[in-house]
Amino acid sequence: MGQTKNFVLSAENTAWAEEIADKILKKMEKVEERNREAIPYMPHDGRYNNYNTPEMRGWWTNGFWAGIMWQLYAVTGNERYAETARFTEEVFDQCIEHYERLDHDMGFMWLHTAVADYRLTKNEKSRTRGLHVASIFSSRFNSNGNFIRAWNTWGPNDTVDKTGWAIIDCMMNVPLLHWASDETHDPRFREVAIRHTNTVMKEFIRPDGSSNHIVSFDPYTGEKIETFGGQGYENGSSWTRGQGWALYGFALAYIHTKNPEYLDTAKRVAHYFIANIPESGLIPIDFRAPKEPAWEDSSAACIAACGLLEIANYVPEYEKDCYVNAALRLLKALVEKRSNWDENVDNIIENCGVAYHSDEHNVGLIYGDYFFIEAIFKLLGKGEFLW
């Protein structure tokens, strides 16, 4: 299905969004030419690196380049974008052969490759790929604690037992299970998604609308043990990309189930996010981190903008402007201060951050561009709903 748009933009904002969409299309023509047989992640000296290597093919971000291509295909109908997207889809077949490398991020990877291909072209081989991966993904469900295990053991030097770990990011992966249930008319996939979502609603989302990143459960009893700061500043802080995953993830959970509790949760997270947007409109990497160093995460702004626009589609008329205006505020700040339209530079969005305690700050990231492009197209009712 295409994008749903149940809100009205002013003529001024529509013209602004159309202008940005045109700039996206113009720039991405050149970027696609340079990366046709690559799986981009992070630019260095203006050019994306290539994660199509045996060691990195299973990296969680690797579906977003194909997602951009499918969004461009949905808007333009240009077959070259479909062909470029399918390159990643076919490379991913090799990932399935390495079961130990597959984790909860299978939704990020296959929703934007095989499932997108099937939605847009009815490619039956793509449908089979998507259902196969959904079956593997659902096997990560721990019925003792009603959660989907996040990560595996990362190599022989990893001594941390993650058997009972769940993370907020997974809210963006469970739509793969909703899609599989719809395709097969089999409730098992959706039941896993719902049980995991209910656990996240109870154990991750704090009363003020902020979210934990990592929650550890006893894998044998399901008892909640502790929380971790993960990619944020510290335990109990507010990693902004995680806030975006929660905001958008619960909006998606509502879209797939129509459970009003999920929409209420999405709104609670959204109100917390909106209340913490700095005057500049630029999002820090953690809402509760020290002011210095002033690390940003533009990708969090892009993700949140997408979620805010989805919430606007499903609230009463008198509430819509709250969410649309907040999304516009984030996107306009990015366009004014954190976007690069040089066609010789691969990324659009700048000043993204991988994690607070990472060395990778103020960088371009492929998912920053993906969610920015999706958000601009959402404003116009263009593109494709890939979730």
Side-chain angles (χ1 to χ4, degrees), residues 75 103 111 115 159 209 262 328 341:
V75 170
D103 60 19
L111 278 169
V115 177
T159 60
Y262 297 162
L328 283 167
W341 300 106

Side-chain angles (χ1 to χ4, degrees), residues 13-180:
N13 284 326
T14 299
W16 175 83
E18 290 281 10
E19 177 186 354
I20 303 307
D22 288 344
K23 291 173 78 169
I24 289 169
L25 295 176
K26 186 170 183 285
K27 173 161 179 166
M28 292 310 298
E29 282 187 16
K30 300 297 184 184
V31 178
E32 184 272 341
E33 287 177 5
R34 291 193 292 267
N35 294 277
R36 189 164 290 177
E37 294 186 359
I39 301 179
Y41 171 53
M42 182 188 297
H44 296 279
D45 297 325
R47 292 288 189 273
Y48 276 126
N49 56 4
N50 182 9
Y51 266 26
N52 182 21
T53 67
E55 299 78 19
M56 299 308 300
R57 282 189 193 114
W59 187 241
W60 74 273
T61 68
N62 285 355
F64 288 112
W65 170 248
I68 291 172
M69 295 298 102
W70 284 120
Q71 293 292 359
L72 297 174
Y73 172 79
V75 170
T76 68
N78 190 327
E79 284 293 333
R80 90 167 191 242
Y81 294 128
E83 293 167 5
T84 300
R86 288 196 185 103
F87 174 82
T88 302
E89 179 181 344
E90 291 165 3
V91 165
F92 277 180
D93 288 346
Q94 300 170 46
C95 298
I96 297 173
E97 298 172 7
H98 296 278
Y99 176 81
E100 70 281 359
R101 297 182 189 175
L102 295 174
D103 60 19
H104 75 112
D105 284 320
M106 286 178 267
F108 280 136
M109 294 174 67
W110 275 274
L111 278 169
H112 294 81
T113 55
V115 177
D117 193 350
Y118 177 66
R119 280 174 162 151
L120 284 159
T121 72
K122 298 305 176 186
N123 183 341
E124 285 295 326
K125 188 171 184 178
S126 298
R127 179 181 184 272
T128 299
R129 285 177 171 129
L131 292 175
H132 181 50
V133 171
S135 296
I136 299 172
F137 181 37
S138 65
S139 73
R140 301 187 69 81
F141 181 68
N142 182 313
S143 59
N144 295 325
N146 288 317
F147 66 89
I148 296 171
R149 177 179 175 175
W151 294 313
N152 304 329
T153 301
W154 288 327
N157 296 322
D158 186 358
T159 60
V160 178
D161 182 4
K162 305 183 186 73
T163 310
W165 283 23
I167 68 173
I168 193 63
D169 316 40
C170 196
M171 285 301 300
M172 298 296 294
N173 289 292
V174 293
L176 176 64
L177 300 176
H178 290 294
W179 170 80

Side-chain angles (χ1 to χ4, degrees), residues 169-345:
D169 316 40
C170 196
M171 285 301 300
M172 298 296 294
N173 289 292
V174 293
L176 176 64
L177 300 176
H178 290 294
W179 170 80
S181 247
D182 290 339
E183 278 299 309
T184 60
H185 305 289
D186 187 332
R188 293 176 300 162
F189 296 106
R190 180 166 280 114
E191 187 65 20
V192 169
I194 288 172
R195 290 190 185 188
H196 176 81
T197 300
N198 289 342
T199 298
V200 173
M201 188 166 57
K202 177 184 177 184
E203 304 292 1
F204 281 72
I205 308 303
R206 305 173 185 135
D208 66 355
S210 64
S211 173
N212 290 301
H213 181 200
I214 303 170
V215 176
S216 174
F217 301 90
D218 184 312
Y220 299 98
T221 68
E223 178 186 1
K224 181 179 178 180
I225 299 174
E226 59 185 323
T227 62
F228 301 102
Q231 290 168 256
Y233 172 63
E234 64 181 2
N235 193 24
S237 66
S238 181
W239 176 51
T240 53
R241 193 161 80 244
Q243 296 299 143
W245 297 143
L247 191 166
Y248 198 1
F250 274 97
L252 294 172
Y254 173 76
I255 290 169
H256 287 292
T257 66
K258 297 302 184 286
N259 181 340
E261 286 187 282
Y262 297 162
L263 183 59
D264 288 343
T265 301
K267 290 166 65 176
R268 180 151 50 99
V269 178
H271 294 165
Y272 172 84
F273 197 104
I274 293 168
N276 283 279
I277 298 174
E279 185 175 347
S280 66
L282 302 174
I283 299 303
I285 200 165
D286 192 308
F287 282 135
R288 295 176 183 167
K291 291 184 179 179
E292 296 295 336
W295 302 129
E296 296 175 25
D297 189 1
S298 297
S299 74
C302 298
I303 296 160
C306 287
L308 290 165
L309 293 174
E310 286 299 342
I311 293 172
N313 283 325
Y314 297 98
V315 296
E317 199 66 36
Y318 65 87
E319 293 184 30
K320 293 183 185 296
D321 283 352
C322 169
Y323 303 105
V324 174
N325 290 341
L328 283 167
R329 182 182 175 193
L330 294 171
L331 294 169
K332 287 185 176 183
L334 291 171
V335 168
E336 181 182 347
K337 303 168 186 174
R338 295 293 182 262
S339 59
N340 189 326
W341 300 106
D342 183 345
E343 293 177 17
N344 294 309
V345 173

